[in-house]
Amino acid sequence: MNKKNKTMRVLFTSHLFYDEPGYSGGSWINALMDLLKDIKGIDVGIIYPSYSRNEPYCANGISYFPVKIRLNPFIKIKHTFCTSAQLVKDDNTVKKYVEYFKPDIIQMFGLETIVSSIVKCITTVPVVVHIQGICEPCLKAWFPKGFTKYNVWNRYPFKQRLLRKTIVDKYYRFRNLTKIEKDNYRCYHYYLGRTQWDKDMSLKNSPNRKYYVCNEVIRSDFYEQTWHKREGLRLVSINNGELYKGFDTILLAAHSLTKKGISFVWDVYGISANAPIIKIVEEILGYSFNENNVRFNGKKTASELAKELSSATFYVHPSHVDNSPNSLCEAQIVGTPTVSTYIGGIPSLVKDGVTGYLFDDGDFEQLSNIIAGKYMLDDELTNISLKAKHVASLRHDRSGIVENLLKTYQKIILDFNEYTDK
């Protein structure tokens, strides 16, 4: 911290592509940066990969430091056909940016990126890892029961198999990321997390670490909507297309509800109906999404998703592995009753029967029974909604998050300085 003018300089590192046309990822990082940059005495910067930029620039009060990804034809071929996870290695550029910005603390999002492998060489500034998804459990859950690398890969169109654009090829790339993450865990001392699972996994992978709680900022659109019970049964899920996110559970639970004779619709956002994985899941399980009232609606804006959640009977989160899914937290902020897998960090977010409902991983009949047994209980759902919204509003309170984070920064900087002075 610059004691002369009392300015704290915070440098984020991310694997997200901020300047690519149409890119909309990293909402939680963007929201946090926007909050910090508006605080007097805080300077914010971010290092990120880019295909198009190679010079620093400033926008909306934030300093951006792009690391240009230079892919010659050989590297492109190697990345595609050898399922390499490491696209760029530019130690000097990252170190140059750190020296130029002179941060008091570096907050790094994700351990599985090439940037995280470079930042571990920086020893003059405290680095705190903001835990996101944890790769190893995701890798283990990549193919749900009944799905294998072989029966999935064989069902992809020939062109996608030839170009290595299948979910199986992505699995092998993710396996490489998992190795990077595991190696990097041992190199960092400070960790930020949100759930008991975060705390346990960071201790397992880095036994001497220091752990701090830091909840995430939700996109503003979701704070502005409120759930109201509507007639009929309408389910909403948000899924990015990975098998471990529970496509199988959605289809099997939908089929179970259909057999029960219940009238419903299940809207899935984040993926379109023509995605190859949809047909693959149908072929392996032997049922049709369309015939079981499941509709795929593609990607939507935050504003559109918030409105959809406000009119849904339930938000269903059937993932086979997860930490603190933003989509679940966003549904809670709206007040939409949630039904989620009892897995990973989710029990830290949902108290069964109080702020939502939990079911065992992969137990589609249990999920179906919860939906069928609860959707007409208006008073119970209203009570669940109010409690979930209250708890989530406290958890994701912006001023509280920022106040806690700034105090955590100070603790880490003080601890780092005391350690390095020894």
Side-chain angles (χ1 to χ4, degrees):
M1 187 170 179
N2 189 320
K3 295 180 180 179
K4 187 176 180 180
N5 56 20
K6 296 184 179 179
T7 297
M8 178 184 286
R9 301 176 69 80
V10 181
L11 181 62
F12 291 170
T13 70
S14 172
H15 64 286
L16 303 172
F17 291 80
Y18 281 89
D19 51 25
E20 297 308 308
Y23 187 78
S24 60
S27 60
W28 61 98
I29 305 176
N30 299 336
L32 181 57
M33 287 197 300
D34 285 339
L35 284 178
L36 289 177
K37 75 174 176 63
D38 290 333
I39 298 174
K40 186 178 180 180
I42 302 291
D43 289 343
V44 179
I46 183 164
I47 296 175
Y48 69 97
S50 174
Y51 287 115
S52 56
R53 289 180 180 262
N54 60 3
E55 293 294 333
Y57 63 98
C58 187
N60 300 316
I62 298 172
S63 298
Y64 289 87
F65 300 100
V67 179
K68 182 72 175 289
I69 293 180
R70 297 177 175 85
L71 293 179
N72 61 45
F74 175 76
I75 296 296
K76 287 182 180 179
I77 293 171
K78 179 183 177 183
H79 173 66
T80 300
F81 291 97
C82 299
T83 60
S84 169
Q86 198 159 312
L87 284 174
V88 60
K89 186 169 184 178
D90 200 338
D91 302 48
N92 292 331
T93 299
V94 173
K95 291 176 183 177
K96 180 183 71 175
Y97 286 154
V98 172
E99 291 171 2
Y100 173 80
F101 189 73
K102 294 182 173 58
D104 294 290
I105 190 166
I106 297 173
Q107 184 168 342
M108 183 169 62
F109 289 85
L111 276 169
E112 72 280 13
T113 69
I114 183 57
V115 173
S116 64
S117 298
I118 297 170
V119 172
K120 67 186 178 184
C121 301
I122 297 169
T123 59
T124 56
V125 181
V127 179
V128 59
V129 176
H130 189 116
I131 300 172
Q132 297 186 99
I134 304 173
C135 289
E136 188 173 11
C138 292
L139 189 72
K140 291 179 180 178
W142 198 271
F143 297 100
K145 183 179 179 180
F147 294 78
T148 67
K149 293 190 286 287
Y150 310 103
N151 69 6
V152 171
W153 189 83
N154 286 333
R155 286 175 166 83
Y156 266 94
F158 175 75
K159 184 177 180 180
Q160 285 188 281
R161 283 185 284 167
L162 180 65
L163 297 176
R164 298 292 181 92
K165 291 185 176 181
T166 74
I167 204 168
V168 178
D169 297 298
K170 192 172 182 179
Y171 165 83
Y172 288 116
R173 293 189 184 97
F174 198 82
R175 187 172 66 178
N176 290 332
L177 291 176
T178 302
K179 293 175 183 177
I180 294 172
E181 179 189 74
K182 197 165 187 178
D183 290 340
N184 286 341
Y185 252 117
R186 306 184 185 101
C187 301
Y188 294 100
H189 187 60
Y190 303 107
Y191 288 86
L192 296 173
R194 300 159 300 288
T195 67
Q196 185 62 43
W197 199 48
D198 278 334
K199 189 174 183 179
D200 294 342
M201 292 299 290
S202 63
L203 180 62
K204 173 187 173 183
N205 291 293
S206 183
N208 296 318
R209 62 92 176 102
K210 290 192 175 182
Y211 178 85
Y212 306 88
V213 174
C214 176
N215 288 312
E216 290 185 339
V217 181
I218 299 300
R219 291 176 286 184
S220 60
D221 304 82
F222 296 92
Y223 292 90
E224 297 163 2
Q225 290 287 340
T226 300
W227 176 81
H228 296 287
K229 180 75 165 62
R230 306 295 203 279
E231 292 297 320
L233 174 57
R234 178 168 170 266
L235 311 172
V236 165
S237 294
I238 300 172
N239 195 313
N240 65 2
E242 307 296 352
L243 273 175
Y244 65 78
K245 290 294 185 179
F247 280 112
D248 56 320
T249 304
I250 289 176
L251 181 52
L252 293 172
H255 181 67
S256 176
L257 288 170
T258 301
K259 286 197 303 181
K260 289 180 171 72
I262 295 174
S263 178
F264 72 98
V265 292
W266 197 326
D267 283 315
V268 180
Y269 299 95
I271 186 171
S272 59
N274 60 0
I277 197 64
I278 304 302
K279 184 178 180 182
I280 290 170
V281 171
E282 290 179 327
E283 288 182 359
I284 291 176
L285 295 182
Y287 302 121
S288 162
F289 281 107
N290 186 56
E291 291 174 5
N292 287 282
N293 307 307
V294 180
R295 306 183 299 197
F296 293 93
N297 302 287
K299 296 184 182 297
K300 300 290 181 182
T301 65
S303 176
E304 290 170 330
L305 288 174
K307 289 179 181 177
E308 297 295 342
L309 286 170
S310 72
S311 62
T313 314
F314 293 105
Y315 171 74
V316 182
H317 194 81
S319 185
H320 295 294
V321 61
D322 228 321
N323 183 16
S324 57
N326 284 324
S327 56
L328 174 60
C329 296
E330 289 167 346
Q332 289 183 311
I333 280 283
V334 172
T336 311
T338 60
V339 189
S340 311
T341 315
Y342 191 100
I343 201 77
I346 291 177
S348 293
L349 306 176
V350 178
K351 187 174 181 180
D352 189 32
V354 179
T355 58
Y357 303 102
L358 297 173
F359 67 96
D360 295 328
D361 178 29
D363 194 337
F364 63 89
E365 285 293 355
Q366 185 184 9
L367 170 58
S368 171
N369 290 336
I370 290 172
I371 294 168
K374 300 292 185 181
Y375 81 96
M376 290 191 293
L377 304 181
D378 290 4
D379 290 343
E380 181 174 325
L381 291 183
T382 298
N383 191 39
I384 289 277
S385 171
L386 291 172
K387 289 181 178 178
K389 190 175 182 71
H390 174 69
V391 169
S393 296
L394 294 176
R395 184 200 308 137
H396 301 288
D397 175 65
R398 296 179 176 190
S399 59
I401 290 172
V402 170
E403 181 181 354
N404 175 70
L405 183 58
L406 293 179
K407 288 180 180 177
T408 300
Y409 285 161
Q410 295 284 13
K411 290 177 183 177
I412 292 172
I413 293 169
L414 181 62
D415 183 81
F416 178 82
N417 289 338
E418 288 179 349
Y419 177 79
T420 53
D421 287 342
K422 289 180 180 179

